[in-house]
Amino acid sequence: MLRSRVLQVSRRAYATNGKQLTIGLIPGDGIGKEVIPAGKKVLESLNARHGLSFKFIDLQAGWETFQNTGKALPDETVEVLQKQCQGALFGAVQSPTTKVEGYSSPIVALRKSLGLYANVRPVKAVEGTKDRPVDMVIVRENTEDLYIKLEKSYIDEATGTRVADATKRITEVATKKIATIALEIAQQRLEQRGHATLTVTHKSNVLSQSDGLFREVCRETYEANKDKFGKVAYNEQIVDSMVYRLFREPECFDVIVAPNLYGDILSDGAAALVGSLGVVPSANVGPNIVIGEPCHGSAPDIAGKGISNPIATIRSTALMLEFLGYPDAAKDIHKAVDANIREGKYLTPDLGGNSTTQEVLEDVLSKLD
């Protein structure tokens, strides 16, 4: 898990003048409704120890919201986040696998509308467990690539068969921003540990224009800032061999930066190295707000059973606080979660236990106290 100094450079943009924070709560669908309240409880528990106070605003988004209102992301949700909130917690979305007229992913739309250009996903094993010694940060570009959702379907006149096209967009501006924050994170890790490596993931051997641009701009950003980041080792890795090496030798990777689609796939896959998607957090980073978001989905198969893992949300809460400029509070959350996993007394079924969401939450809260 990222520690406080790792995100020092980025956090400065979010430092607030007072100690009251307004946090939007967006449960979404499925188990999002079970884990976001756990994140809220953890934040509330920080009042006494760190003198923080929170104002929470309940907001709507997701498939159920679309079914009820006709909009997956209501305008009110975006407006409140833009005008009132320093941070937010987003749960999960249950998106249909086939096209539904008028529906599109609300988290993708949020990232675009709020300028959340980076998705920072730390994947770290807890010391003292049987997990492999994994300690990496996957920095995913968050606003473009295939996720711009410019798709079309049509009938090929020559063959009479169906065709679907999707546009993949990579821009110099977005790539430079994501390369810069990835280098900042790598630099902080270097200062902590004495070494750091940035690995740029691409498929420019096939996609020479789009992925080629991503690769070129990342290298140019590194070369242009060698006075600042020159001690960070710089590597490049084609995405298919990257997947292979990620599972064979994860200890070789430190900070990974990738376009939107590859970053999504790599970070979800990397969760298998530390036991479950239920323990992997993320932070959506933008110029005015940061949104903590667990990496798991809505898990409809276990929704309502009270056994969803709240750890990813709790860790996302800590990441959000790091970006908002409260590293000590975040550090306490990290320690409590690590202790819960290390002891192994209260674990949800995805980690091989039989505890409930509430039991895991109460154990983490007891360690915070």
Side-chain angles (χ1 to χ4, degrees):
M1 183 62 59
L2 294 177
R3 299 307 179 191
S4 58
R5 291 198 65 222
V6 174
L7 296 174
Q8 178 180 337
V9 176
S10 300
R11 273 203 316 270
R12 290 181 186 140
Y14 299 102
T16 53
N17 294 325
K19 284 197 173 184
Q20 184 181 55
L21 299 172
T22 300
I23 306 297
L25 300 176
I26 313 170
D29 303 306
I31 64 171
K33 298 177 182 180
E34 302 169 32
V35 295
I36 292 303
K40 178 183 178 182
K41 285 286 187 183
V42 168
L43 288 174
E44 290 173 335
S45 74
L46 298 174
N47 289 4
R49 181 184 293 271
H50 295 283
L52 290 170
S53 63
F54 298 92
K55 175 185 177 182
F56 297 102
I57 303 178
D58 294 320
L59 299 170
Q60 299 296 315
W63 173 243
E64 185 177 319
T65 300
F66 174 79
Q67 291 179 307
N68 293 334
T69 68
K71 282 192 172 183
L73 180 62
D75 295 339
E76 180 186 1
T77 295
V78 177
E79 184 176 354
V80 169
L81 291 172
Q82 287 176 329
K83 296 182 178 180
Q84 300 184 45
C85 298
Q86 289 83 46
L89 296 175
F90 189 99
V93 175
Q94 182 178 331
S95 294
T97 56
T98 57
K99 181 180 179 181
V100 175
E101 193 66 35
Y103 178 85
S104 62
S105 170
I107 186 61
V108 172
L110 263 182
R111 291 166 181 165
K112 291 179 181 178
S113 61
L114 299 177
L116 303 172
Y117 68 94
N119 188 263
V120 180
R121 296 189 172 193
V123 182
K124 187 178 187 301
V126 174
E127 293 182 9
T129 66
K130 295 180 180 180
D131 289 334
R132 298 169 71 176
V134 177
D135 185 2
M136 67 180 74
V137 184
I138 299 173
V139 184
R140 167 189 172 192
E141 201 290 316
N142 220 16
T143 63
E144 50 184 32
D145 199 358
L146 288 170
Y147 289 67
I148 62 171
K149 293 183 69 62
L150 286 180
E151 298 181 282
K152 63 178 180 179
S153 299
Y154 56 94
I155 302 296
D156 182 90
E157 294 182 0
T159 64
T161 58
R162 292 172 294 173
V163 179
D165 288 340
T167 299
K168 177 184 175 77
R169 177 173 295 158
I170 301 291
T171 66
E172 180 179 2
V173 171
T175 303
K176 186 174 182 179
K177 288 168 68 176
I178 201 67
T180 300
I181 191 172
L183 284 164
E184 289 173 349
I185 292 171
Q187 178 66 25
Q188 293 300 323
R189 287 167 70 87
L190 183 146
E191 293 175 8
Q192 280 187 311
R193 307 182 306 172
H195 60 88
T197 300
L198 178 70
T199 302
V200 177
T201 306
H202 63 91
K203 189 66 177 174
S204 64
N205 57 324
V206 175
L207 302 170
S208 58
Q209 297 297 310
S210 54
D211 279 24
L213 180 61
F214 186 86
R215 179 187 182 190
E216 290 169 14
V217 173
C218 285
R219 176 169 286 278
E220 290 167 0
T221 304
Y222 175 71
E223 295 291 343
N225 293 279
K226 270 201 167 180
D227 57 330
K228 184 177 181 181
F229 304 125
K231 292 184 179 180
V232 173
Y234 183 93
N235 288 331
E236 296 175 350
Q237 189 77 47
I238 295 174
V239 66
D240 43 358
S241 59
M242 175 75 190
V243 172
Y244 177 80
R245 293 191 64 203
L246 187 69
F247 290 101
R248 286 293 296 252
E249 43 188 2
E251 64 278 359
C252 294
F253 296 104
D254 185 10
V255 179
I256 300 165
V257 63
N260 207 336
L261 178 61
Y262 305 153
D264 193 2
I265 294 170
L266 289 173
S267 54
D268 281 8
L273 298 169
V274 293
S276 169
L277 273 170
V279 300
V280 179
S282 77
N284 296 283
V285 180
N288 300 307
I289 189 171
V290 56
I291 298 181
E293 178 193 3
C295 290
H296 58 68
S298 61
D301 56 323
I302 63 169
K305 296 182 179 180
I307 57 172
S308 55
N309 195 338
I311 294 299
T313 294
I314 295 171
R315 282 177 162 171
S316 297
T317 300
L319 273 183
M320 180 188 70
L321 289 173
E322 288 187 60
F323 276 103
L324 289 171
Y326 298 98
D328 292 338
K331 187 176 180 180
D332 280 356
I333 296 173
H334 291 322
K335 285 182 176 179
V337 168
D338 287 357
N340 164 267
I341 293 175
R342 187 181 299 111
E343 291 175 7
K345 184 178 179 181
Y346 296 99
L347 300 176
T348 45
D350 60 310
L351 293 178
N354 55 14
S355 299
T356 65
T357 307
Q358 186 63 28
E359 287 171 337
V360 173
L361 171 61
E362 290 174 357
D363 187 53
V364 172
L365 290 174
S366 70
K367 289 172 169 52
L368 276 169
D369 291 338

